Amino acid sequence: MTDSKYFTTTKKGEIFELKAELNSDKKEKKKEAVKKVIASMTVGKDVSALFPDVVNCMQTDNLELKKLVYLYLMNYAKSQPDMAIMAVNTFVKDCEDPNPLIRALAVRTMGCIRVDKITEYLCEPLRKCLKDEDPYVRKTAAVCVAKLHDINAQLVEDQGFLDTLKDLISDSNPMVVANAVAALSEIAESHPNSNLLDLNPQSINKLLTALNECTEWGQIFILDCLANYTPRDDRESQSICERVTPRLSHANSAVVLSAVKVLMKFMEMLPKDLDYYGTLLKKLAPPLVTLLSAEPELQYVALRNINLIVQKRPEILKHEMKVFFVKYNDPIYVKLEKLDIMIRLASQANIAQVLAELKEYATEVDVDFVRKAVRAIGRCAIKVEQSAERCVSTLLDLIQTKVNYVVQEAIVVIKDIFRKYPNKYESVIATLCENLDSLDEPEARAAMIWIVGEYAERIDNADELLESFLEGFHDESTQVQLQLLTAIVKLFLKKPTETQELVQQVLSLATQDSDNPDLRDRGYIYWRLLSTDPVAAKEVVLAEKPLISEETDLIEPTLLEELICHIGTLASVYHKPPSAFVEGSRGVMHKRLPARTGSGEGTECPDVGNAAGGSAPEAAPSIIPSQGDLLGDLLNLDLAPPTTTGPTPSTSGMQMGGMDLLGGGLESLMDESEPPHVPLRTDPPQSPSPQPPSPVYTHTDYTYTDYSHTDSPPDHSSTEHSPPAELGGDIGGSPAMGAGFGAAPAVMPASLNAPVGGGLGDLFDLGGGVGMPMGAYIPPKTVWLPAMKAKGLEISGTFARRAGVIQMELVLTNKAMSVMTDFAIQFNRNSFGLAPAGPLQVLTPLGPNQTIEVSLPLSTVGPVMKMDPLNNLQVAVKNNIDVFYFSCQYPISMLFVEDGKMERQVFLATWKDIPNDNESQFQIQDCHLNSEAASNKLQGSNIFTIAKRTVEGQDMLYMSIKLSNGIWVLAELKVQAGNPNYTISLKCRAPEVSQCVFQCYEAVLKN
Amino acid sequence: MIGGLFIYNHKGEVLISRVYRDDIGRNAVDAFRVNVIHARQQVRSPVTNIARTSFFHVKRSNIWLAAVTKQNVNAAMVFEFLYKMCDVMTAYFGKISEENIKNNFVLIYELLDEILDFGYPQNSETGALKTFITQTGIKSQSKEEQSQITSQVTGQIGWRREGIKYRRNELFLDVLESVNLLMSPQGQVLSAHVSGRVVMKSYLSGMPECKFGMNDKIVIDKQGKGGASEEAAAGKSDLGGSGGGGGKQSIAIDDCTFHQCVRLSKFDAERSISFIPPDGECELMRYRTTKDIILPFRVIPLVREVGRTKLEVKVVIKSNFKPSLLAQKIEVRIPTPLNTSGVQVICMKGKAKYKASENAIVWKIKRMAGMKESQISAEIELLPTNDKKKWARPPISMNFEVPFAPSGLKVRYLKVFEPKLNYSDHDVIKWVRYIGRSGIYETRC
């Protein structure tokens, strides 16, 4: 008889015909019809319409037909809950059937009908079946409790099924025990804190007895459950281990792996000097090796697990290198995993063999595999010092093959070798440089650039090489850009005379023309360093680099521990904790290895190598995270979370949907993109005398491991910024920028304690807003919202104060293909209550490629909220296309009101009145105005000079400023003839503004 | 646990779909088809995670079996179960093919219902399953029969039913070994191991208690020591034969695994292999050895590149076992570059042919006695290519069959006790056979 014909019915009136057949009187015909229904169901046709007709066939003594009907029921009961109730009676009746097979079938199917309404009808039959005389029924009922719990947990608890299930653990039949254990384990998983499984020495003993007798699957359930138990002491631990070890000889790999899991876990508790501990270690290796002769899919699972085991206890498999050699016809997934383990096991003893193998692999065809093999050679070199030379020469051979991806991979690893063994293999640089042109992958390019920069003094044409990369700077990936920036700075520090132009070029590319915050930040830091203190720059940039660690790609110890507790499971295959891929409450519970108990403690301490158990942090191996995570670490080290408050970068995060122009969108956006809101220094400002803590820029140019930096004191790789003693830097970029940055370091100490946003904001402010005519200070227009980010609308603008009115001057450009209309503007709440005083006047529609200049008067009576930085303004602009968000910073000078001139007496009194803590002092460098000119210039921006005093050739100017919200700022400016450095002291009752005010001083004076 | 199980044909059409858990929807069926079966790239892992759902798959000829789950299941168990599922299906209806699956889909659903409950594997021994899942419809069972079935399915000895009777009690033991080798061109053994299986076919009445013995080094050493001390106690002079049975070699077994009928705790404690076998055929044991392996053949390659368009290959094979024994089905496979345009072969023995479709010269020899040597030489013409990539030079592989166990394993005894029935160990007719086959037997060139 062939059933395949059921798959082929595709006639139109099929359902109708089936209906007729199902209601036929002939048993055979009925059965045929049900088979057809099931076949349709399998291929995904909807046959739910036949529900009543199929259910009618349920009352039969033909077991095969019954099973088919049940199969149908399980599939469609949920979609037809009312109809499903029709089936209840039959189930209840079947649960009383004299045939245990039918009783079991009924209780099994019952649990699969996931309809809330009928669950309560099922409780009585289930209760009976749990106590059935036949073990086959009991073992089925045990699983049914888990099914019911999945549908209605409360019901299961209320009905006391859990207790009955617990009783089944003591059942005489091993299979009943196993299923009860499985069901309880699953239920316990969704109640992490319940003591459901209540494992104690007695119940453990029962489980261990059942372990010897039940099916292979039952053994897995029991072993997996045992693994959750924590023995009371090392003795109990040992006795359990002794009873579990025989499972290592089971033919079923899953039994073996689960046994390994129990042993790996309980071994933690055994004292290391115990003979048994050594015996156990020896016993673990052979079964693990045997797993490698299983089918490939199981080999894969085994290898993923061995990878964990080797990291946790390398001693187990250290002599078994050969079994991990790749076979020519292994599936690729097995090959890649074997390679990983080979590297982990590589040691001085076996390195020759390993290298010979790796060399073979590097000539294979699968690209991924070859790459990994090449990388492995590099890792061997780093891991086993004696082999480094051989590895390097092997890599050079591989480079000679000129196979593109081999060459690139080789260069990446050679860079690591250079770092591990400085001043040893640099002779190969020439060979590497020959291959410069063929590198097209970012990682390889970055590595090569690093090499050129690092060894610039040995490469005659280093500048030419780097310059050639510079041409396409903007097309490079960030990784390459960052590397290029660093390399050129290194080159400059090594050969300053010839490369000045180059360094200026790269600095301006990185800072002005790039909107990548990491790149800009790094660029600015270099720029400041170079312009302030080239010696310090040298110390930072050319600092001795910390050595890289031997082991790579190690799993972080706490995760490793957790994964060891999950040996054999998916978590161990993915190398991820279950919470990473399991939804809901299941698996959220983190498992941990047990701690060693009393008697073991004495012996444990000396053995640091194995202390990955988390007890000894100093033993935790330092880890090289995978390359992807490394970018941008440079800035993260001390500056806390990177922020996006500068004008340009902020726009990147600002594009949010939503039609609400009002605060709502902006506020939610702030919550996301802003760092935690820190008040802008509520503590009194520092007085100039004690040196504020300097920033510690830990510098790693090839962004290696954050671990090594945070762990080790940054003495060798960092330097302190001291406020510069001399004026100006001898190196500068464009005049404007140079001036801007010449002063910048002076800002640093003051802004240090301020939140990061402030510090970085300054940078951008300086970068963007320089260049002021006489009179009121109006910064040049900058692009606030690039067209890319706003569907073609580009907004640039600036702020001005004209005749006492604050104005926002906007230039709107339509770079899209369609006409833009319906412009509107709205501000988020801000520090000084700035708000549009009228609507945005764009009267004519803005056609493609059209530009319009709009001036928007602002009032200062809007809602107030302190921003960070203080002068930050978040803006929403709407047009007919969408709403766009951006933020910009306004010069605080536009808030300086015209009646800001204080009476002399009042000034004196106020100055004395404001506590000294509120005074902050700044330096303005490289300003060549005399006190007269300075005073005039400042007046144009409503900074009024009240008095002037001359003491020993030094002019002291006393000035006052009034902000639009009534805050007074008092200033004392010291100008010494012939000294381009001004000192300014600011006193204010709201010291937060000092910083901004100082910036204005600087901006005004320098233009 | 397993949330669902799907079987697809090579086109990705669903043949069987059984969902056990609510969290697996119908879209999972399609997700696997789209992302794995129809994937553009070759699948790089047997475990695939698609949208937080994990798929485990195995392939048998062109049929895909996929188990699906959303939980942190025991991955090894899932694969073991899939293999078991294949075994069970094969035992029921032979080869796993689209046609067979379609023809037996009702049976498969019935099996899936029985051996997987809520995603938990249940008893999946074919011996037990066949007693109550039959293709011939329902048999009316007596009450005794029913309880016998259930006790067998759930019992300690789930793999054997009671009341089996044979007129002639007979058993066959096959020691099947595959010897694996990876050798460097210079003749250095890079890795070699034997993976062996002891397959037992038994036709024994009742519930026979069996004990299996082999020349396991640990057992022999133990007995040797015990024997020596007994002899000393008896006051006999030491005859120098302390190493167990005179001349009998023992072998070191790296590791072995057993059929679930073997009492593992007993093996662990006393290293004795005792069991009640399933009726018919079963794989009693698997083992692996790496020491003192007899390598039946040695391959000596010589490859010379003559210019860019010609290769000269010479391969010598030497047989390395007793001259009285005969190896069979010898095949040497010499890979050739992809750009081969023509091959001329000369061989002393057997037949050699260049198979363009397989990119190899295949040299076949029907029989070869021990301690002999044979040789093949070939000239390979190459088309000039501008492909920069070098030819990977896959290793030369070999296939053969020899009538001995390359590991040196010997069956010492297999004792049968059936206390309830009146036949003794002597009445059982026993056969033993050794076959050594090549596993992956490669020499790099």
Side-chain angles (χ1 to χ4, degrees), chain A residues 4 42 67 78 114 134 136 147 179 186 217 249 253 286 290 297 322 333 357 366 568 570-571 574, chain B residues 21-22 44 54 72-73 75 80 83 103 109-110 114 117 120 122 124 150 190 255 257-258 288 444:
Chain A
S4 57
T42 297
K67 284 181 179 173
K78 226 180 167 185
R114 310 181 50 89
D134 195 294
Y136 184 73
K147 293 178 188 170
N179 278 3
E186 176 163 344
W217 314 116
S249 304
S253 308
T290 299
E297 292 88 2
K322 278 189 180 177
Y333 52 81
E357 282 292 308
D366 190 287
L570 262 181
Y574 293 145
Chain B
R21 298 264 173 158
D22 229 16
R44 296 248 143 178
S54 299
N72 183 29
V73 294
E80 285 283 3
Y83 302 143
N103 282 338
Y109 276 124
E110 206 175 325
E114 184 59 43
D117 191 4
Y120 290 103
Q122 304 293 307
S124 45
T150 58
L190 295 174
D255 189 38
T257 59
F258 296 99
R288 182 169 44 85
R444 289 187 178 147

Side-chain angles (χ1 to χ4, degrees), chain A residues 55 66 118 123 258 275 322 352 367 525 615 675 812 904 989:
Chain A
V55 171
K66 198 177 241 343
I118 61 172
C123 291
S258 291
D275 287 344
K322 278 189 180 177
V367 176
I525 285 168
S615 51
L812 308 177
R904 274 188 182 212
R989 291 193 196 275

